[in-house]
Amino acid sequence: MPKEKIVAGGRAWPSANVLLTVGVVVVAIIVLGGVLLTGGDNQPQGSPTAPNSVLVNKDSHRLTDGGDAVTVVEFLDYQCPACAGYYRNVTADVEKDYGDRITFVVRNFPLDSHPLALPAAQAAEAAGMQDKFAEMYHALYDNYAQWAVTEAGDEISDDEDRARAAFDRFAKDIGLDIERFHTDMASDAVAKRIEADKADAEKAEVTGTPTLFVNGERFTPSGETFGEVRQQFRDRLDAALAQ
Amino acid sequence: MSETASVTTPAATDGSLGRTVRWLYVVGGGIGLVASFVLMVEKIALLADPNYVPTCSLNPVLSCGSVMATPQAAAFGVANPLLGVTGFAMVLTAGAALIAWFRPPRWFWLALQAGTTFGVGFVHWLIWQSLYSIGALCPYCMVVWAVTIPLFWYTTLHNLERGHLTGRSSGAVLVRYHSAVLALWFVAIIALIAVRFWDYWSTLV
């Protein structure tokens, strides 16, 4: 961190300068540290629960529809590497293995730090307009390397042309009307849906992605590896199903 | 104090910051030189093998790979670290000469002023680009930012105090609160970084 304090070299008035310097540094540490700590405290715990009225709307996209017994809600950002990791290691299998018993809702929370997250969310929502939301959701994550990261694969990409070309390929593969897909992506209706998801995310005190809720309770894994998180999430679902 | 020992004959015109400047040149110039050198080595490795992942690419935000691959990384047509290696080596040499009691003429100080002013301007442009255009931070580059600012600041103060710039001594208030101003400067940049990458820091948890 570019942070250093030059100790006063002036001989004539060291004390006023030293006091001021220390003052500036201390105030900065208190403010930054305070914001970081309170922010940091809020992240993992956040609000532990959120009402289903906030988490799920009538028209929220459902990947699976297995009744009301267990509802999983995921707030996600299509370009977020952690979300792609969750998809590959945790949620894609859950969708398959638990699909007939749980309702899995996914909602948008594109972060500003991911330049292609918003276009990707628009693509998913536009596909939803042609009743192919789940197909596009899968295409986006299954082919994450084709659009979300650079060709070398080690950086978040900001190449929007490449991403849009990839979205078009996915759209063709899942049989969308491309003209309509393009119109819908740029439409107010899609923009409003994404904004509404973000607004609900804020009500639910979601600050990062992915954030998962099981029956309104936030899932906060303690595992270090995806293997552990995967097991914890499945245990959690089993417990909810057993109730 | 050892300081009284150094106040021998030539120190009469040394100004209150003379000692700080000498040692800052050696330490800051040395740190800047090492950082630029490493960046140059990484840049060469990246050129030789486009798949090379630089040692300072830690995550999507702290990533010199993505910073080094931008047009801003060669702002004047050649890799920026070349300027750093050259410039910091000169600063380091100047510091060593000053410690060896070389008392340079005014033009020498004006040249240092010109060099560090260019450096600080360039660094702030790079900070701006890194934060708002590239959207990633490069750790070694941040080391360069962190040493260039005090090098400029203390060169300026020293030149003001010694009257190299205006012909008579000036800037007494700034000299008096030299490190407080510097601390504010750093705090402002750290705050900009914290705000800009807030989303990222919060998703880490």
Side-chain angles (χ1 to χ4, degrees), chain A residues 27-174:
Chain A
V27 169
I29 290 174
I30 290 174
V31 171
L32 273 176
V35 173
L36 263 179
L37 276 184
T38 50
D41 274 352
N42 281 341
Q43 300 331 313
Q45 291 130 22
S47 165
T49 59
N52 267 331
S53 58
V54 168
L55 294 178
V56 187
N57 286 337
K58 276 199 303 289
D59 60 352
S60 293
H61 293 298
R62 288 159 173 81
L63 294 176
T64 71
D65 208 341
D68 293 338
V70 176
T71 302
V72 172
V73 179
E74 180 181 8
F75 285 91
L76 55 83
D77 164 326
Y78 290 98
Q79 202 183 9
C80 129
C83 303
Y86 260 68
Y87 174 79
R88 279 193 301 272
N89 296 286
V90 184
T91 54
D93 283 347
V94 160
E95 198 188 325
K96 252 183 261 147
D97 299 345
Y98 290 80
D100 52 342
R101 288 170 288 165
I102 66 169
T103 296
F104 196 142
V105 174
V106 289
R107 308 198 59 189
N108 294 295
F109 193 54
L111 298 171
D112 293 340
S113 52
H114 300 135
L116 303 177
L118 186 59
Q122 289 165 343
E125 289 296 341
M129 298 271 184
Q130 298 182 45
D131 293 326
K132 299 271 187 176
F133 174 82
E135 287 83 348
M136 184 57 87
Y137 160 90
H138 286 293
L140 288 169
Y141 277 134
D142 286 337
N143 304 296
Y144 185 77
Q146 289 180 28
W147 64 273
V149 288
T150 55
E151 307 220 359
D154 56 338
E155 310 282 354
I156 289 288
S157 167
D158 61 357
D159 187 344
E160 196 166 329
D161 291 340
R162 176 167 162 259
R164 285 185 187 276
F167 301 160
D168 282 358
R169 284 199 303 277
F170 307 155
K172 278 184 199 128
D173 288 347
I174 62 179

Side-chain angles (χ1 to χ4, degrees), chain B residues 49-116:
Chain B
D49 172 11
N51 291 323
Y52 174 76
V53 178
T55 54
C56 42
S57 282
L58 306 175
N59 56 47
V61 167
L62 288 177
S63 162
C64 44
S66 48
V67 175
M68 279 158 59
T70 60
Q72 291 95 323
F76 299 95
V78 294
N80 296 344
L82 270 181
L83 305 178
V85 169
T86 319
F88 286 118
M90 291 197 279
V91 170
L92 174 60
T93 311
L98 289 167
I99 287 173
W101 292 112
F102 169 52
R103 285 300 169 263
R106 180 171 175 237
W107 67 262
F108 191 92
W109 282 110
L110 290 181
L112 282 165
Q113 184 70 53
T116 54

Side-chain angles (χ1 to χ4, degrees), chain A residues 8-30:
Chain A
R11 283 191 286 276
W13 314 272
S15 57
N17 179 48
V18 168
L19 281 177
L20 257 178
T21 307
V22 172
V24 167
V25 171
V26 168
V27 169
I29 290 174
I30 290 174

Side-chain angles (χ1 to χ4, degrees), chain B residues 156-169:
Chain B
T156 306
L157 290 184
H158 187 61
N159 281 337
L160 281 174
E161 192 181 32
R162 303 270 315 269
H164 291 317
L165 294 180
T166 53
R168 59 194 180 81
S169 182

Side-chain angles (χ1 to χ4, degrees), chain A residues 1-4 6 8-11 13 16-17 20-21 24-25 28 32 35-36 43-44 111-113 154-156 208-209, chain B residues 3 16 20 53 57 60 63 65-66 142 146 150 154 176-180 182-184 186-187 190 194 198-199 202-203 205:
Chain A
M1 287 276 99
K3 187 174 168 98
E4 69 179 51
I6 301 293
R11 283 191 286 276
W13 314 272
N17 179 48
L20 257 178
T21 307
V24 167
V25 171
L32 273 176
V35 173
L36 263 179
Q43 300 331 313
L111 298 171
D112 293 340
S113 52
D154 56 338
E155 310 282 354
I156 289 288
T209 53
Chain B
E3 217 156 88
S16 63
T20 307
V53 178
S57 282
S63 162
S66 48
M142 289 160 75
Y154 282 97
R176 182 166 173 176
Y177 297 110
H178 59 100
S179 61
L182 186 65
L184 264 180
F186 273 107
V187 165
I190 292 168
W198 194 254
D199 274 346
S202 43
T203 54
V205 203

